[in-house]
Coordinates of all heavy atoms in Angstrom, one line a residue:
M1 N 3.9 7.3 -1.9 CA 5.0 6.3 -1.8 C 5.1 5.7 -3.2 O 4.3 4.8 -3.6 CB 4.6 5.3 -0.8 CG 5.8 4.4 -0.3 SD 5.3 3.4 1.1 CE 6.4 4.0 2.3
Q2 N 6.0 6.2 -4.0 CA 6.1 5.8 -5.4 C 6.4 4.3 -5.7 O 5.8 3.7 -6.5 CB 7.2 6.6 -6.1 CG 7.4 6.3 -7.6 CD 6.3 6.7 -8.4 OE1 5.5 7.7 -8.0 NE2 6.1 6.1 -9.5
E3 N 7.2 3.7 -4.8 CA 7.5 2.3 -5.0 C 6.4 1.3 -4.8 O 6.4 0.2 -5.4 CB 8.7 1.9 -4.1 CG 8.4 2.0 -2.6 CD 8.7 3.4 -2.0 OE1 9.1 4.3 -2.8 OE2 8.6 3.5 -0.8
L4 N 5.3 1.7 -4.1 CA 4.1 0.8 -4.0 C 3.5 0.7 -5.4 O 2.9 -0.4 -5.7 CB 3.1 1.4 -3.1 CG 3.5 1.4 -1.6 CD1 2.5 2.1 -0.7 CD2 3.8 0.0 -1.1
R5 N 3.6 1.6 -6.3 CA 2.9 1.6 -7.6 C 3.5 0.6 -8.5 O 2.9 0.2 -9.5 CB 3.0 3.0 -8.2 CG 2.1 4.0 -7.5 CD 2.2 5.4 -8.2 NE 1.4 6.3 -7.4 CZ 1.5 7.6 -7.4 NH1 2.4 8.1 -8.2 NH2 0.7 8.4 -6.7
T6 N 4.8 0.2 -8.2 CA 5.5 -0.8 -9.0 C 5.2 -2.2 -8.7 O 5.5 -3.1 -9.4 CB 7.0 -0.5 -9.0 OG1 7.5 -0.8 -7.6 CG2 7.4 0.8 -9.4
L7 N 4.5 -2.4 -7.5 CA 4.2 -3.8 -7.1 C 2.9 -4.3 -7.7 O 2.0 -3.5 -7.9 CB 4.1 -3.8 -5.6 CG 5.3 -3.4 -4.7 CD1 5.0 -3.4 -3.3 CD2 6.5 -4.3 -5.1
D8 N 2.8 -5.6 -8.0 CA 1.5 -6.1 -8.4 C 0.6 -6.3 -7.3 O 1.0 -6.2 -6.1 CB 1.7 -7.3 -9.3 CG 2.2 -8.6 -8.5 OD1 1.9 -8.7 -7.3 OD2 2.9 -9.4 -9.1
N9 N -0.7 -6.6 -7.5 CA -1.6 -6.7 -6.4 C -1.3 -7.7 -5.4 O -1.5 -7.5 -4.1 CB -3.0 -7.0 -7.0 CG -3.6 -5.8 -7.7 OD1 -3.1 -4.6 -7.6 ND2 -4.6 -6.0 -8.6
T10 N -0.8 -8.8 -5.8 CA -0.5 -9.9 -4.8 C 0.7 -9.5 -3.9 O 0.6 -9.7 -2.7 CB 0.0 -11.2 -5.6 OG1 -1.1 -11.6 -6.4 CG2 0.3 -12.3 -4.6
Q11 N 1.7 -8.8 -4.5 CA 2.8 -8.3 -3.7 C 2.3 -7.3 -2.7 O 2.8 -7.2 -1.5 CB 3.9 -7.8 -4.6 CG 4.6 -8.8 -5.4 CD 5.5 -8.2 -6.4 OE1 5.2 -7.2 -7.1 NE2 6.8 -8.7 -6.5
L12 N 1.4 -6.4 -3.1 CA 0.9 -5.4 -2.3 C 0.1 -5.9 -1.1 O 0.3 -5.5 0.0 CB 0.0 -4.5 -3.1 CG -0.3 -3.1 -2.6 CD1 1.0 -2.3 -2.5 CD2 -1.2 -2.4 -3.6
I13 N -0.7 -7.0 -1.3 CA -1.4 -7.6 -0.2 C -0.5 -8.3 0.7 O -0.7 -8.2 1.9 CB -2.5 -8.6 -0.8 CG1 -3.5 -7.9 -1.7 CG2 -3.1 -9.4 0.3 CD1 -4.3 -6.8 -1.0
D14 N 0.5 -9.0 0.2 CA 1.5 -9.6 1.0 C 2.3 -8.6 1.9 O 2.5 -8.8 3.1 CB 2.5 -10.4 0.2 CG 2.0 -11.7 -0.4 OD1 0.9 -12.1 0.0 OD2 2.7 -12.2 -1.3
L15 N 2.6 -7.5 1.4 CA 3.3 -6.4 2.1 C 2.3 -5.9 3.2 O 2.8 -5.6 4.3 CB 3.6 -5.3 1.1 CG 4.6 -4.3 1.7 CD1 6.0 -4.9 2.0 CD2 4.9 -3.2 0.6
L16 N 1.1 -5.7 2.9 CA 0.1 -5.2 3.9 C 0.0 -6.2 5.0 O 0.0 -5.9 6.2 CB -1.3 -5.0 3.2 CG -2.4 -4.5 4.2 CD1 -2.0 -3.2 4.8 CD2 -3.7 -4.5 3.4
A17 N 0.0 -7.5 4.7 CA -0.1 -8.6 5.7 C 1.1 -8.5 6.6 O 1.0 -8.6 7.8 CB -0.3 -9.9 5.1
Q18 N 2.3 -8.3 6.0 CA 3.5 -8.3 6.8 C 3.6 -7.1 7.7 O 3.8 -7.2 8.9 CB 4.7 -8.3 5.9 CG 6.1 -8.2 6.6 CD 6.3 -9.4 7.6 OE1 6.1 -10.6 7.1 NE2 6.6 -9.2 8.8
Y19 N 3.2 -5.9 7.2 CA 3.2 -4.7 8.0 C 2.1 -4.8 9.1 O 2.3 -4.3 10.2 CB 3.1 -3.5 7.2 CG 4.4 -3.0 6.7 CD1 4.8 -3.3 5.4 CD2 5.2 -2.2 7.5 CE1 6.0 -2.8 5.0 CE2 6.4 -1.7 7.0 CZ 6.8 -2.1 5.7 OH 8.1 -1.6 5.3
T20 N 1.0 -5.4 8.8 CA -0.1 -5.5 9.8 C 0.4 -6.5 10.9 O 0.1 -6.2 12.1 CB -1.3 -6.1 9.2 OG1 -1.7 -5.1 8.1 CG2 -2.5 -6.2 10.2
S21 N 1.1 -7.5 10.6 CA 1.6 -8.4 11.6 C 2.6 -7.7 12.5 O 2.6 -7.9 13.7 CB 2.3 -9.6 10.9 OG 2.9 -10.4 11.8
D22 N 3.5 -7.0 11.8 CA 4.5 -6.2 12.7 C 3.8 -5.2 13.6 O 4.2 -5.0 14.7 CB 5.5 -5.5 11.8 CG 6.4 -6.4 10.9 OD1 6.4 -7.6 11.3 OD2 7.0 -5.9 9.9
Y23 N 2.8 -4.5 13.0 CA 2.1 -3.5 13.8 C 1.4 -4.1 15.0 O 1.4 -3.6 16.1 CB 1.1 -2.9 12.8 CG 0.2 -1.8 13.4 CD1 0.7 -0.5 13.6 CD2 -1.2 -2.1 13.6 CE1 -0.2 0.5 14.1 CE2 -2.0 -1.1 14.1 CZ -1.5 0.2 14.4 OH -2.3 1.2 14.9
T24 N 0.7 -5.2 14.8 CA 0.0 -6.0 15.8 C 1.0 -6.4 16.9 O 0.7 -6.3 18.1 CB -0.7 -7.2 15.3 OG1 -1.6 -6.7 14.3 CG2 -1.5 -7.9 16.4
K25 N 2.2 -6.8 16.5 CA 3.2 -7.3 17.5 C 3.7 -6.1 18.3 O 3.8 -6.2 19.5 CB 4.4 -7.9 16.7 CG 5.5 -8.4 17.7 CD 6.6 -9.1 16.9 CE 7.6 -9.6 17.8 NZ 8.8 -10.2 17.2
M26 N 3.9 -4.9 17.6 CA 4.3 -3.7 18.4 C 3.3 -3.3 19.4 O 3.6 -2.9 20.5 CB 4.6 -2.6 17.4 CG 5.9 -2.8 16.6 SD 6.1 -1.3 15.5 CE 6.7 -2.2 14.0
I27 N 2.0 -3.4 19.0 CA 0.9 -3.0 19.9 C 0.9 -3.9 21.2 O 0.9 -3.5 22.3 CB -0.4 -3.0 19.2 CG1 -0.5 -1.9 18.3 CG2 -1.6 -2.9 20.3 CD1 -1.7 -1.8 17.4
S28 N 1.0 -5.3 20.9 CA 1.0 -6.2 22.0 C 2.2 -6.2 22.9 O 2.0 -6.4 24.1 CB 0.8 -7.6 21.4 OG 2.1 -8.0 20.8
E29 N 3.3 -5.7 22.4 CA 4.5 -5.5 23.2 C 4.6 -4.1 23.7 O 5.7 -3.7 24.3 CB 5.7 -5.9 22.4 CG 5.7 -7.4 22.1 CD 6.9 -7.8 21.2 OE1 7.7 -7.0 20.8 OE2 7.0 -9.0 20.9
N30 N 3.6 -3.3 23.5 CA 3.6 -1.8 24.0 C 4.8 -1.1 23.5 O 5.4 -0.3 24.2 CB 3.5 -1.8 25.5 CG 2.9 -0.5 25.9 OD1 2.2 0.2 25.2 ND2 3.2 -0.1 27.1
M31 N 5.2 -1.3 22.2 CA 6.3 -0.6 21.6 C 5.7 0.5 20.7 O 5.6 0.4 19.5 CB 7.2 -1.6 20.8 CG 7.8 -2.6 21.6 SD 8.7 -3.9 20.7 CE 9.6 -3.0 19.5
M32 N 5.4 1.7 21.2 CA 4.7 2.8 20.5 C 5.7 3.9 20.1 O 5.4 5.0 20.1 CB 3.6 3.3 21.3 CG 2.6 2.3 21.8 SD 1.7 1.5 20.5 CE 0.4 0.8 21.4
G33 N 6.9 3.5 19.7 CA 7.9 4.5 19.3 C 7.8 4.9 17.8 O 6.8 4.8 17.2
D34 N 9.0 5.3 17.3 CA 9.1 5.7 15.9 C 8.8 4.6 14.9 O 8.1 4.9 13.9 CB 10.5 6.2 15.7 CG 10.8 7.6 16.3 OD1 9.8 8.3 16.6 OD2 12.0 7.9 16.5
D35 N 9.3 3.4 15.2 CA 9.0 2.2 14.3 C 7.5 2.0 14.2 O 7.0 1.6 13.1 CB 9.7 1.0 14.8 CG 11.2 1.1 14.6 OD1 11.6 1.9 13.7 OD2 11.9 0.3 15.2
Y36 N 6.8 2.1 15.3 CA 5.3 2.0 15.3 C 4.7 3.0 14.4 O 3.8 2.7 13.6 CB 4.8 2.1 16.8 CG 3.3 2.3 16.9 CD1 2.5 1.2 16.9 CD2 2.7 3.5 17.0 CE1 1.1 1.3 17.0 CE2 1.4 3.7 17.1 CZ 0.6 2.6 17.2 OH -0.8 2.7 17.3
E37 N 5.1 4.3 14.5 CA 4.5 5.3 13.7 C 4.8 5.1 12.2 O 4.0 5.3 11.4 CB 5.0 6.7 14.2 CG 4.5 7.1 15.5 CD 2.9 7.2 15.5 OE1 2.3 7.7 14.5 OE2 2.3 6.9 16.6
K38 N 6.0 4.7 11.9 CA 6.4 4.4 10.5 C 5.6 3.3 10.0 O 5.1 3.3 8.8 CB 7.9 4.1 10.5 CG 8.8 5.3 10.6 CD 10.3 4.8 10.6 CE 11.2 6.0 11.0 NZ 12.6 5.5 11.1
C39 N 5.4 2.2 10.8 CA 4.6 1.1 10.3 C 3.2 1.5 10.1 O 2.6 1.1 9.1 CB 4.7 0.0 11.4 SG 4.0 -1.6 11.0
K40 N 2.6 2.3 11.0 CA 1.2 2.8 10.8 C 1.1 3.6 9.6 O 0.1 3.4 8.8 CB 0.9 3.6 12.1 CG -0.5 4.0 12.2 CD -0.7 4.6 13.6 CE -1.4 5.9 13.6 NZ -1.7 6.4 14.9
L41 N 2.0 4.5 9.3 CA 2.0 5.3 8.1 C 2.1 4.4 6.8 O 1.5 4.7 5.8 CB 3.0 6.4 8.1 CG 2.8 7.5 9.1 CD1 4.0 8.4 9.1 CD2 1.6 8.3 8.7
T42 N 3.0 3.4 6.9 CA 3.2 2.5 5.7 C 1.9 1.8 5.4 O 1.5 1.6 4.3 CB 4.4 1.6 6.0 OG1 5.5 2.4 6.2 CG2 4.6 0.6 4.8
I43 N 1.2 1.3 6.5 CA 0.0 0.6 6.3 C -1.1 1.4 5.6 O -1.8 1.0 4.7 CB -0.6 0.0 7.7 CG1 0.3 -1.1 8.1 CG2 -2.0 -0.4 7.5 CD1 0.0 -1.6 9.6
K44 N -1.1 2.7 6.1 CA -2.1 3.6 5.4 C -1.7 3.9 4.0 O -2.6 4.0 3.1 CB -2.1 4.9 6.2 CG -2.8 4.9 7.5 CD -2.8 6.2 8.3 CE -3.6 6.0 9.6 NZ -3.7 7.3 10.3
A45 N -0.5 4.0 3.7 CA 0.0 4.2 2.3 C -0.4 3.0 1.4 O -0.9 3.1 0.3 CB 1.5 4.4 2.2
I46 N -0.2 1.8 2.0 CA -0.6 0.6 1.2 C -2.1 0.5 1.0 O -2.5 0.2 -0.1 CB 0.0 -0.7 1.9 CG1 1.5 -0.7 2.0 CG2 -0.6 -2.0 1.3 CD1 2.0 -1.8 2.9
Q47 N -2.8 0.8 2.1 CA -4.3 0.8 1.9 C -4.8 1.9 0.9 O -5.7 1.6 0.1 CB -4.9 1.1 3.3 CG -4.8 0.0 4.2 CD -5.3 0.4 5.7 OE1 -5.1 1.5 6.1 NE2 -5.8 -0.6 6.4
T48 N -4.1 3.0 0.9 CA -4.5 4.0 -0.1 C -4.2 3.5 -1.5 O -5.0 3.7 -2.4 CB -3.7 5.3 0.2 OG1 -4.0 5.8 1.5 CG2 -4.0 6.4 -0.8
E49 N -3.1 2.9 -1.7 CA -2.7 2.4 -3.1 C -3.8 1.3 -3.5 O -4.2 1.3 -4.6 CB -1.3 1.8 -3.0 CG -0.9 1.2 -4.4 CD -0.8 2.2 -5.5 OE1 -0.7 3.4 -5.3 OE2 -0.9 1.7 -6.7
I50 N -4.2 0.5 -2.6 CA -5.1 -0.6 -2.9 C -6.5 0.1 -3.2 O -7.1 -0.3 -4.2 CB -5.3 -1.5 -1.7 CG1 -4.1 -2.4 -1.5 CG2 -6.6 -2.4 -1.9 CD1 -4.0 -3.2 -0.2
D51 N -6.9 1.1 -2.5 CA -8.2 1.9 -2.8 C -8.0 2.5 -4.1 O -9.0 2.5 -4.9 CB -8.4 2.9 -1.7 CG -8.9 2.3 -0.4 OD1 -9.3 1.1 -0.4 OD2 -8.8 2.9 0.7
V52 N -6.9 3.2 -4.5 CA -6.8 3.8 -5.8 C -6.9 2.8 -6.9 O -7.6 3.0 -7.9 CB -5.4 4.5 -5.9 CG1 -5.1 4.9 -7.3 CG2 -5.3 5.7 -5.0
R53 N -6.3 1.6 -6.7 CA -6.4 0.6 -7.7 C -7.9 0.1 -7.9 O -8.3 -0.2 -9.0 CB -5.5 -0.6 -7.4 CG -4.1 -0.3 -7.5 CD -3.2 -1.4 -7.3 NE -1.8 -1.0 -7.2 CZ -0.8 -1.9 -7.3 NH1 -1.0 -3.1 -7.4 NH2 0.5 -1.4 -7.2
K54 N -8.6 -0.1 -6.8 CA -10.0 -0.5 -6.8 C -10.8 0.6 -7.6 O -11.7 0.2 -8.4 CB -10.5 -0.7 -5.4 CG -10.1 -2.0 -4.8 CD -10.9 -2.4 -3.6 CE -10.8 -1.5 -2.5 NZ -11.4 -1.9 -1.2
T55 N -10.6 1.8 -7.3 CA -11.4 2.9 -7.9 C -11.0 3.0 -9.4 O -11.9 3.3 -10.2 CB -11.0 4.3 -7.3 OG1 -10.7 4.1 -5.9 CG2 -12.1 5.2 -7.5
N56 N -9.8 2.6 -9.8 CA -9.4 2.7 -11.2 C -9.5 1.4 -11.9 O -8.9 1.1 -12.9 CB -8.0 3.2 -11.3 CG -7.8 4.6 -10.9 OD1 -8.6 5.4 -11.3 ND2 -6.8 5.0 -10.2
G57 N -10.3 0.5 -11.3 CA -10.5 -0.8 -12.0 C -9.3 -1.7 -12.0 O -9.1 -2.5 -12.9
G58 N -8.4 -1.6 -11.0 CA -7.3 -2.5 -10.9 C -6.0 -2.0 -11.6 O -5.0 -2.6 -11.7
N59 N -6.1 -0.8 -12.2 CA -4.9 -0.1 -12.8 C -3.8 0.0 -11.8 O -4.1 0.2 -10.6 CB -5.3 1.2 -13.4 CG -6.2 1.0 -14.6 OD1 -6.2 0.0 -15.3 ND2 -7.0 2.1 -14.9
I60 N -2.6 0.1 -12.2 CA -1.5 0.3 -11.4 C -1.6 1.6 -10.6 O -1.4 1.6 -9.4 CB -0.1 0.2 -12.1 CG1 0.0 -1.2 -12.7 CG2 1.0 0.5 -11.2 CD1 0.1 -2.3 -11.8
S61 N -1.9 2.6 -11.2 CA -2.1 3.9 -10.5 C -2.9 4.9 -11.4 O -3.2 4.6 -12.5 CB -0.7 4.6 -10.3 OG -0.2 5.0 -11.5
A62 N -3.4 5.9 -10.8 CA -4.2 6.9 -11.5 C -3.4 7.5 -12.6 O -3.9 7.8 -13.7 CB -4.7 8.0 -10.5
E63 N -2.1 7.7 -12.4 CA -1.2 8.3 -13.4 C -1.2 7.4 -14.7 O -1.2 7.8 -15.8 CB 0.2 8.6 -12.9 CG 0.2 9.6 -11.8 CD 1.5 9.6 -11.1 OE1 2.4 8.8 -11.4 OE2 1.6 10.4 -10.2
S64 N -1.0 6.1 -14.4 CA -0.9 5.1 -15.5 C -2.2 5.0 -16.3 O -2.1 4.8 -17.5 CB -0.5 3.8 -15.0 OG -1.5 3.2 -14.3
S65 N -3.3 5.2 -15.7 CA -4.6 5.2 -16.4 C -4.7 6.4 -17.3 O -5.4 6.4 -18.3 CB -5.8 5.0 -15.5 OG -5.9 6.1 -14.7
M66 N -4.1 7.5 -16.9 CA -4.2 8.7 -17.7 C -3.3 8.7 -18.9 O -3.6 9.3 -19.9 CB -3.8 9.9 -16.8 CG -4.8 10.2 -15.7 SD -4.3 11.4 -14.4 CE -3.3 12.6 -15.3
T67 N -2.3 7.9 -18.9 CA -1.4 7.8 -20.0 C -1.7 6.7 -21.0 O -1.0 6.6 -22.0 CB 0.0 7.7 -19.5 OG1 0.2 6.5 -18.8 CG2 0.5 8.9 -18.7
R68 N -2.7 5.9 -20.7 CA -3.1 4.8 -21.6 C -3.7 5.4 -22.9 O -4.5 6.3 -22.8 CB -4.0 3.9 -21.0 CG -3.4 3.0 -20.1 CD -4.3 1.9 -19.6 NE -3.6 1.0 -18.8 CZ -4.2 0.1 -18.0 NH1 -5.5 0.0 -18.0 NH2 -3.5 -0.6 -17.2
P69 N -3.4 4.8 -24.1 CA -4.0 5.3 -25.3 C -5.5 4.8 -25.3 O -5.8 3.8 -24.7 CB -3.2 4.6 -26.4 CG -2.5 3.4 -25.7 CD -2.4 3.8 -24.3
P70 N -6.3 5.6 -26.0 CA -7.7 5.2 -26.0 C -8.0 3.8 -26.7 O -7.2 3.5 -27.6 CB -8.5 6.3 -26.7 CG -7.4 7.0 -27.3 CD -6.1 6.7 -26.7
D71 N -9.0 3.1 -26.4 CA -9.3 1.8 -27.1 C -10.3 2.1 -28.2 O -11.4 2.5 -28.0 CB -9.9 0.9 -26.1 CG -10.2 -0.5 -26.7 OD1 -9.8 -0.8 -27.8 OD2 -10.8 -1.3 -25.9
F72 N -9.8 2.0 -29.5 CA -10.6 2.3 -30.6 C -11.3 1.1 -31.2 O -11.9 1.2 -32.2 CB -9.8 3.0 -31.7 CG -9.3 4.3 -31.3 CD1 -8.0 4.6 -31.0 CD2 -10.2 5.4 -31.1 CE1 -7.5 5.8 -30.6 CE2 -9.8 6.6 -30.7 CZ -8.4 6.9 -30.5
S73 N -11.2 -0.1 -30.6 CA -11.7 -1.3 -31.2 C -13.2 -1.4 -31.0 O -13.9 -0.7 -30.4 CB -11.1 -2.5 -30.6 OG -11.1 -2.5 -29.2

């Protein structure tokens, strides 16, 4: 999900909270249709992006860390 890479960490956490709230509501109302599956996949994508950032020391994405110039100082 390319658009997740453009969000800063705060926006990403807010988005995760919103989707988690929607997901919980769908479960409590027994709405296990297409929207439920989309929400579940979106949550997993957000969690993956957060994990990638943690592994890369908070970088926006693995790709962006590969294109950074070396620090010669």
Side-chain angles (χ1 to χ4, degrees):
M1 201 174 238
Q2 181 67 26
E3 59 272 3
L4 292 178
R5 294 181 182 159
T6 64
L7 299 175
D8 66 31
N9 291 343
T10 304
Q11 292 171 315
L12 202 59
I13 298 299
D14 288 345
L15 193 62
L16 179 60
Q18 180 59 52
Y19 274 96
T20 301
S21 173
D22 294 345
Y23 180 76
T24 304
K25 184 177 179 184
M26 286 181 220
I27 290 173
S28 69
E29 295 175 358
N30 202 25
M31 297 172 44
M32 307 295 196
D34 288 341
D35 288 339
Y36 167 82
E37 290 299 323
K38 288 177 188 176
C39 189
K40 187 168 134 179
L41 289 174
T42 302
I43 289 170
K44 286 183 181 183
I46 295 169
Q47 289 172 328
T48 300
E49 178 64 22
I50 290 170
D51 288 341
V52 166
R53 291 182 188 196
K54 284 196 294 189
T55 324
N56 291 317
N59 292 335
I60 296 298
S61 69
E63 295 168 359
S64 68
S65 66
M66 291 171 33
T67 59
R68 283 192 178 162
D71 185 6
F72 292 111
S73 52

